[in-house]
Amino acid sequence: MRLHRNLVFGVIDALNFIFNENEYADKVVEKVLKYDKRWGARDRAFIAETTYDIVRWKRLYTEIAEVKAPYKRADLFRIWAVWAVLRGIELPDWKQIEPTPTRRIKGKFDELSKIRKYRESVPDWLDEMGEKALGDELWTKELHALNEQADVILRANTLKTTPIKLHDILLELNVDTEFIKGYPDALKLKERSNVFTTQAFKDGLFEVQDASSQMVAEFLDVKPGQRVVDTCAGAGGKTLHLAALMENKGQLIALDIYSRKLAELKRRAKRAGAHNVETREIDSTKVIKKLHNSADRVLIDAPCTGLGVLRRNPDAKWKMQPEFLEKITATQKQILSDYSKMVKPGGKLVYATCSILPQENSEQVKTFLESEEGKDFALVQDKNIYASVEGFDGFYMALMQKK
């Protein structure tokens, strides 16, 4: 593999922004890829994939490189050199790269790989908490699965096409996909490619959405003509799926505390041809009170630690602090208590997170059902989705019905 200096320098810049400036990896990669318009698809893929790879294995690589934060530029080159050696890439003779003890790197890798927190590259506190929450065996398997690169999964927009038609359309565009058993609208890319540039995407025929995430809207059991509220809609991945399942009939109210996310949702809904979506910013408690006892279905896709989606957001494990779990579980409890009041008698509620921790999931639901606000609800079913079992993102969802 021939290494180009400007591409490696791009990776070093990206690592500096992520590790030293505490910026988000996805935004950093987007920014760095704009450096040089002449970079082709392979150049861009090298920068993005190398950056994410080093972020994912940060603890292991920094331990081998014997460097500590804050990282000087020379330290970042040392980390990159460890990555290259472990991938069997011959190091170039550049002044930025000191003589690298290849054998020592491999020896240290073998030694550290025997210890889970180094092998799977997680902070001590997270490793201890995960083992306590899930048990040694499941946590070990789950950590390993969450370090795998995530597949690219599409959801066919059934307002405009079918999964079979979409498969054929994409094939004509040289994008080969396969169906996933048990996921009715999902297609998996056989090879990674930038599907956002295709005409099929511009025409709103699909969204990029993980298979586990696609199960949430299905779980809510919506019907055309109902009043459905998506309470933490964000940019609307699940909202658009709900609109498709409702066949554009009925009222779908998308709520969020961030107006910029709702603006993005509106743009996406227009492209998808989802006409029954109405956005409302939660700028006061009145927004929720107006909807009390009025909705057939309510989705609470709650803010969470995001531990189930570390494959996509590997920098989250370095940004997260132990006290965040306490803070976010308090937020989840409040949201469940407040937003559940929108469900009318006989209506259904789904509480979902992209976390794998019981504290955010089954324990939250149990606390809610035992509370004053939850006493009229009964648990219909809940589901834990583990990356190590299903091969997709880690998720939790609980379906409850109001008496």
Side-chain angles (χ1 to χ4, degrees), residues 80-335:
W80 178 83
V82 169
W83 170 86
V85 167
L86 293 175
R87 272 173 181 51
I89 297 166
E90 196 176 329
L91 292 172
D93 183 18
W94 298 344
K95 70 175 190 295
Q96 290 85 356
I97 298 166
E98 307 161 12
T100 306
T102 303
R103 281 181 66 181
R104 203 169 91 222
I105 285 173
K106 289 177 179 172
K108 208 155 181 206
F109 173 78
D110 292 341
E111 182 191 321
L112 291 172
S113 292
K114 292 170 188 160
I115 304 161
R116 183 179 59 207
K117 64 186 180 184
Y118 296 124
R119 179 180 69 245
E120 302 301 350
S121 218
V122 286
D124 285 3
W125 71 267
L126 183 56
D127 191 40
E128 287 158 19
M129 184 186 71
E131 184 179 329
K132 194 176 170 187
L134 298 178
D136 180 72
E137 190 183 345
L138 179 55
W139 177 242
T140 300
K141 284 180 183 170
E142 199 60 11
L143 259 188
H144 184 69
L146 289 170
N147 273 325
E148 301 282 320
Q149 191 181 41
D151 290 314
V152 180
I153 312 289
L154 314 180
R155 177 182 59 76
N157 176 15
T158 53
L159 291 174
K160 290 192 170 189
T161 189
T162 66
I164 292 170
K165 280 183 191 166
L166 179 62
H167 171 272
D168 295 344
I169 290 165
L170 289 171
L171 201 55
E172 284 178 25
L173 300 169
N174 296 316
V175 178
D176 200 1
T177 60
E178 59 191 18
F179 301 101
I180 310 172
K181 194 179 175 186
Y183 299 85
D185 300 329
L187 290 174
K188 181 167 89 173
L189 257 62
K190 288 188 179 178
E191 276 183 28
R192 300 182 84 79
S193 67
N194 186 1
V195 289
F196 297 114
T197 58
T198 62
Q199 193 58 45
F201 177 74
K202 290 169 188 170
D203 291 343
L205 303 188
F206 68 85
E207 294 290 334
V208 174
Q209 186 180 9
D210 186 76
S212 296
S213 176
Q214 292 187 36
M215 292 184 75
V216 177
E218 298 270 359
F219 213 65
L220 191 56
D221 183 34
V222 295
K223 304 279 190 291
Q226 289 180 329
R227 174 183 253 199
V228 178
V229 182
D230 184 355
T231 64
C232 307
K238 296 177 187 71
T239 314
L240 299 180
H241 193 188
L242 288 167
L245 293 170
M246 293 169 73
E247 298 168 13
N248 254 341
K249 295 167 188 159
Q251 185 185 24
L252 177 52
I253 301 167
L255 305 175
D256 205 272
I257 58 172
Y258 299 110
S259 57
R260 60 183 168 75
K261 288 186 178 181
L262 293 175
E264 170 67 1
L265 193 160
K266 273 186 184 173
R267 198 180 62 77
R268 290 175 73 186
K270 190 177 177 186
R271 187 183 65 232
H275 308 306
N276 66 334
V277 178
E278 179 192 326
T279 60
R280 295 184 194 176
E281 184 187 348
I282 305 172
D283 51 9
S284 74
T285 53
K286 286 180 191 168
V287 177
I288 306 300
K289 281 178 182 165
K290 276 184 185 173
L291 292 167
H292 277 189
N293 296 304
S294 73
D296 298 289
R297 299 285 186 270
V298 170
L299 170 61
I300 300 174
D301 181 21
C304 67
T305 57
L307 280 183
V309 292
L310 285 180
R311 299 183 310 162
R312 289 162 208 292
N313 307 314
D315 54 329
K317 56 187 173 182
W318 312 122
K319 286 186 166 52
M320 204 187 308
Q321 298 302 320
E323 57 273 17
F324 179 67
L325 181 64
E326 201 177 313
K327 191 178 163 191
I328 203 71
T329 47
T331 302
Q332 291 162 351
K333 187 180 176 185
Q334 193 64 53
I335 284 174

